[in-house]
Amino acid sequence: MRKILILNMLVLFLLSFSVSSDVSDERVLYNKYQRYTAVIEDVIDVTDNGFRSVNYILTWNDNKIIVPALNWRVIKKKGDMLEFLVMWHELKTEGGSVKNLGFTALE
């Protein structure tokens, strides 16, 4: 359990670092994240030449969303609960701003 907590903290740190290193602070208009939990409705597990992509389908705010798994060595199943992160980012552009919504699994 402690290893998972440390991994989650590392992921959050890397996510925040990547945002701040790619975009200058004066371009960031809004940056927020929040944890949620939902039931996994389906699992998309694709392998190609030894490369793997695992994504979970679930419902958040009455919308079907796809949440990428970070640790595909521990694959959850349909019906399991998943803790995930929702991220809102608004960046200033030459023509106004761009609002991005992102999701990532925390387990």
Side-chain angles (χ1 to χ4, degrees):
M1 183 71 174
R2 183 180 174 129
K3 287 182 183 179
I4 293 173
L5 179 60
I6 291 170
L7 178 63
N8 287 343
M9 290 172 56
L10 178 62
V11 167
L12 290 174
F13 171 77
L14 291 174
L15 286 172
S16 64
F17 179 75
S18 67
V19 168
S20 63
S21 64
D22 291 339
V23 178
S24 62
D25 287 342
E26 62 269 4
R27 288 191 54 206
V28 177
L29 298 174
Y30 187 78
N31 190 16
K32 177 185 171 186
Y33 62 90
Q34 187 170 344
R35 290 174 179 248
Y36 290 89
T37 304
V39 175
I40 296 171
E41 299 172 17
D42 204 356
V43 178
I44 302 170
D45 189 346
V46 178
T47 304
D48 181 50
N49 286 330
F51 295 90
R52 190 173 186 188
S53 173
V54 177
N55 295 276
Y56 303 112
I57 297 176
L58 45 94
T59 300
W60 173 77
N61 283 355
D62 296 327
N63 293 290
K64 297 282 186 196
I65 62 170
I66 297 174
V67 178
L70 292 179
N71 180 8
W72 51 261
R73 291 188 173 120
V74 180
I75 303 301
K76 295 202 166 250
K77 298 179 181 92
K78 182 177 180 177
D80 289 348
M81 296 298 289
L82 178 71
E83 187 174 8
F84 62 100
L85 191 66
V86 179
M87 299 164 287
W88 298 266
H89 305 289
E90 183 177 8
L91 304 175
K92 189 182 344 178
T93 64
E94 292 177 14
S97 69
V98 174
K99 294 182 176 183
N100 293 312
L101 180 63
F103 308 93
T104 192
L106 292 175
E107 307 178 56

